[in-house]
Amino acid sequence: QVQLVESGGGLVQAGGSLRLSCAASGRTFSPYAMAWFRQAPGKEREFVAAISWTGDYTNYADSVKGRFTISRDNNKNTVALQMNSLKPEDTAVYYCAAGRLPILPTPYDYWGQGTQVTVSS
């Protein structure tokens, strides 16, 4: 079992930046990939970014490439999402997820509660 807690959400103006963080506890001795997803009001949850256990491989949704960066610190059991040049369409609840495998792609078995990101125009 893995527990995930997100932080760092908030309200920001378009063009601004936010940094989300996700702290993992529980089954931290096992390697697993990590990812961020988001869900906007009235829409389905969508993939944002993922990172392998070693950090050597990352994937991004086309909509965030060049603006968002995912990173992890396995010593601290954390994963971060640096979001720059934010747009109103980035407004959503952002969820941290832990994968079943250390590599990408992987199914995601554990989810955090989410953190709200609101970008005003």
Side-chain angles (χ1 to χ4, degrees):
Q1 194 80 353
V2 177
Q3 292 78 44
L4 303 172
V5 178
E6 303 96 337
S7 62
L11 174 64
V12 64
Q13 288 189 334
S17 299
L18 278 176
R19 184 177 179 85
L20 305 182
S21 183
C22 174
S25 61
R27 199 197 72 186
T28 56
F29 56 88
S30 296
Y32 44 85
M34 296 289 293
W36 289 93
F37 288 75
R38 67 186 181 186
Q39 186 168 20
K43 295 186 177 181
E44 293 187 353
R45 186 160 54 188
E46 64 175 2
F47 169 79
V48 176
I51 186 167
S52 63
W53 170 253
T54 61
D56 291 342
Y57 297 96
T58 57
N59 286 338
Y60 294 93
D62 288 343
S63 59
V64 306
K65 279 182 182 176
R67 300 189 298 122
F68 291 11
T69 302
I70 188 170
S71 61
R72 69 187 298 162
D73 184 339
N74 290 341
N75 291 325
K76 297 181 179 179
N77 297 319
T78 59
V79 61
L81 185 69
Q82 177 66 42
M83 305 186 294
N84 298 329
S85 302
L86 282 161
K87 305 174 181 179
E89 50 263 44
D90 294 319
T91 295
V93 177
Y94 283 71
Y95 297 91
C96 175
R100 191 176 304 169
L101 304 173
I103 58 175
L104 301 175
T106 177
Y108 294 94
D109 293 333
Y110 303 101
W111 298 83
Q113 296 291 334
T115 185
Q116 176 70 46
V117 171
T118 303
V119 184
S120 63
S121 57

